[in-house]
């Protein structure tokens, strides 16, 4: 059995899971609601506050889908109950970020500031003194995608390390030109 796939998912008190035909799963919680379809070969069972996933055979495709299905379900439950957060850091002289209403405005050395609207279910927080941006939401995939789009505005460059990076990301630095 898959080590990840066989683990049960315990549901917090404020989270409900609805199983629809065709392995359509709807998870509702205090942060929001997520809905996703899974492979029809996987068996998803709900009993007494615990969700379990089983596979029909030990075939290669079923083994791969087993762990994936369980992980995606767990991310849905975690997202609607506690949510997810990605932190980004801004490094560089003159680079900064600020909020204008819900919009994130980035001043990254371009001729005009870059404005980014948050997708539905995503919120930004900015700490201007420390140069940090937080992306928060209940959909793990959307939080990661939004953070990647922010980082793409000015990725860290290898010579001086300036740009937007994930918190804790190590940027490999290159040696510059050497004179004779």
């Amino acid at each position: 059995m898959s080590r990840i796939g066989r683990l049960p998912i315990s549901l917090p008190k404020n989270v409900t899971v609805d199983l629809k035909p065709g392995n359509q799963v709807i998870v509702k919680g205090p942060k929001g609601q997520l809905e996703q379809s899974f492979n029809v070969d996987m068996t998803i069972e709900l009993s007494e506050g615990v969700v379990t996933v089983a596979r029909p055979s030990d075939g290669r495709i079923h083994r791969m889908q087993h762990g994936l299905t369980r992980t995606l379900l767990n991310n849905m439950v975690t997202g609607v109950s506690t949510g997810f957060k990605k932190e980004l850091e801004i490094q560089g002289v003159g680079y900064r970020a600020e909020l204008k209403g819900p919009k994130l405005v980035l001043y990254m050395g371009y001729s005009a500031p870059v404005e980014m609207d948050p997708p539905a279910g995503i919120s930004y927080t900015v700490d201007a003194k420390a140069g940090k941006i937080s992306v928060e939401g209940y959909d793990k995939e959307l939080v990661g995608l939004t953070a990647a789009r922010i980082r793409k505005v000015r990725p860290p460059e290898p010579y001086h390390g300036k740009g937007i990076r994930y918190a804790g990301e190590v940027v490999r630095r290159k040696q510059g030109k050497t004179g004779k």
Side-chain angles (χ1 to χ4, degrees), residues 23-40:
N23 271 0
Q24 181 81 11
V25 179
I26 301 171
V27 181
K28 296 177 186 172
K31 298 267 185 185
Q33 173 179 328
L34 291 172
E35 183 175 336
Q36 188 162 348
S37 295
F38 295 100
N39 189 336
V40 292

Side-chain angles (χ1 to χ4, degrees), residues 16-52:
T16 60
V17 175
D18 295 329
L19 300 174
K20 303 282 184 190
N23 271 0
Q24 181 81 11
V25 179
I26 301 171
V27 181
K28 296 177 186 172
K31 298 267 185 185
Q33 173 179 328
L34 291 172
E35 183 175 336
Q36 188 162 348
S37 295
F38 295 100
N39 189 336
V40 292
D41 293 340
M42 296 295 118
T43 305
I44 302 170
E45 295 176 354
L46 172 65
S47 62
E48 300 173 14
V50 174
V51 178
T52 56

Side-chain angles (χ1 to χ4, degrees), residues 119-164:
I122 298 293
S123 63
Y124 301 126
T125 55
V126 175
D127 182 8
K129 297 268 185 205
K132 293 187 185 276
I133 303 169
S134 295
V135 180
E136 298 177 32
Y138 57 86
D139 187 355
K140 187 173 187 177
E141 180 182 0
L142 191 57
V143 168
L145 183 65
T146 306
R149 285 187 179 146
I150 293 171
R151 183 182 182 274
K152 193 175 179 183
V153 169
R154 178 73 77 175
E157 54 98 13
Y159 293 101
H160 299 290
K162 300 188 307 184
I164 302 174

